Amino acid sequence: FIRNGFVGTITPFFTDAENGVRYLEGKNIHNGIISDNEKLYVTKEFHNKHIKNKLKPDDLLMVQSGHIGECAVVGERYAGANCHALIIMSNGGECNSKYVCHYFHSYKGFKSVRPAITGGTVKHVLATKVRNVKIPVPPVEKQNSIVEILDKFENICNDLNSGLPAEIEARQKQYEYYRDKLLTFKEKETV
């Protein structure tokens, strides 16, 4: 089941967390993760009017405009939220949504989405055309195995990224130490 999140002017329907429903946009999705870098809420009336866009755990979201093709899987934290300019894909249990997310982030996966992309300067992914994208679907056990392996690699990369700044700083200090040693000369006595 593939559908568009609301596309249109949303600002009149913004409200606060206490009176509203969490609302996700493309800027909340980066590197396969839904983030809280910007928290928006819409009125409950707006949410109920667009109930078909109510997010469920395991739904896959794809950014429709901007950094197109970026995907993330909805977890319990965002269940019940609504969204703007995102393609919502509910798989009905035939696939591991995380597998599909990894696939779309691959070169081959993004290439398969290209026919669904329109626009000149600002590119858009059309949900109606994403329906035609063919995804290789091995048995669920194989999908789960692939997801487990790719998630481990992702964790290793993230650990490297957190440790990398400290390593760079240590190498910079080492460079400065040896630079100073190598460029320190005895002064020549002047007669």
Side-chain angles (χ1 to χ4, degrees), residues 102-118:
H102 282 300
Y103 177 75
F104 281 134
H105 285 148
S106 73
Y107 173 77
K108 186 175 182 179
F110 186 74
K111 189 175 174 183
S112 72
V113 175
R114 281 194 186 136
I117 298 172
T118 65

Side-chain angles (χ1 to χ4, degrees), residues 56-80:
K56 295 177 273 329
D58 208 38
D59 279 349
L60 179 69
L61 301 177
M62 179 183 282
V63 177
Q64 196 170 11
S65 295
H67 53 289
I68 58 170
E70 184 70 44
C71 299
V73 177
V74 176
E76 290 294 332
R77 181 176 182 174
Y78 299 100

Side-chain angles (χ1 to χ4, degrees), residues 3-190:
R3 60 213 179 273
N4 284 329
F6 179 78
V7 178
T9 304
I10 191 68
T11 49
F13 306 104
F14 285 150
T15 188
D16 58 14
E18 190 176 314
N19 297 307
V21 175
R22 184 73 162 85
Y23 198 68
L24 300 175
E25 296 181 306
K27 46 186 131 173
N28 294 110
I29 298 176
H30 293 283
N31 301 321
I33 298 170
I34 300 172
S35 72
D36 285 331
N37 60 340
E38 185 173 331
K39 287 186 177 182
L40 298 174
Y41 298 88
V42 290
T43 64
K44 291 174 185 171
E45 294 78 25
F46 176 87
H47 175 69
N48 290 331
K49 184 176 179 182
H50 300 281
I51 200 71
K52 73 176 177 96
N53 299 332
K54 180 180 177 181
L55 303 177
K56 295 177 273 329
D58 208 38
D59 279 349
L60 179 69
L61 301 177
M62 179 183 282
V63 177
Q64 196 170 11
S65 295
H67 53 289
I68 58 170
E70 184 70 44
C71 299
V73 177
V74 176
E76 290 294 332
R77 181 176 182 174
Y78 299 100
N82 209 304
C83 65
H84 183 261
L86 294 171
I87 297 173
I88 309 162
M89 297 177 239
S90 303
N91 71 39
E94 297 293 319
C95 297
N96 179 326
S97 292
K98 195 97 191 235
Y99 166 81
V100 177
C101 185
H102 282 300
Y103 177 75
F104 281 134
H105 285 148
S106 73
Y107 173 77
K108 186 175 182 179
F110 186 74
K111 189 175 174 183
S112 72
V113 175
R114 281 194 186 136
I117 298 172
T118 65
T121 305
V122 179
K123 304 284 186 207
H124 302 281
V125 179
L126 300 175
T128 54
K129 290 190 176 187
V130 168
R131 289 185 180 112
N132 300 326
V133 173
K134 303 273 189 240
I135 299 171
V137 183
V140 175
E141 300 78 33
K142 182 73 171 170
Q143 292 176 46
N144 293 341
S145 175
I146 291 169
V147 166
E148 186 178 332
I149 291 166
L150 291 176
D151 283 352
K152 282 181 185 177
F153 276 120
E154 208 169 67
N155 287 337
I156 289 169
C157 288
N158 288 337
D159 286 347
L160 286 175
N161 286 336
S162 64
L164 198 55
E167 185 64 26
I168 290 170
E169 184 179 343
R171 293 302 136 239
Q172 182 65 31
K173 286 181 181 177
Q174 186 178 32
Y175 161 76
E176 290 169 2
Y177 171 81
Y178 285 110
R179 179 197 60 205
D180 291 346
K181 284 288 189 187
L182 289 169
L183 296 175
T184 302
F185 304 100
K186 287 184 179 179
E187 286 189 32
K188 213 176 186 184
E189 287 185 34
T190 55

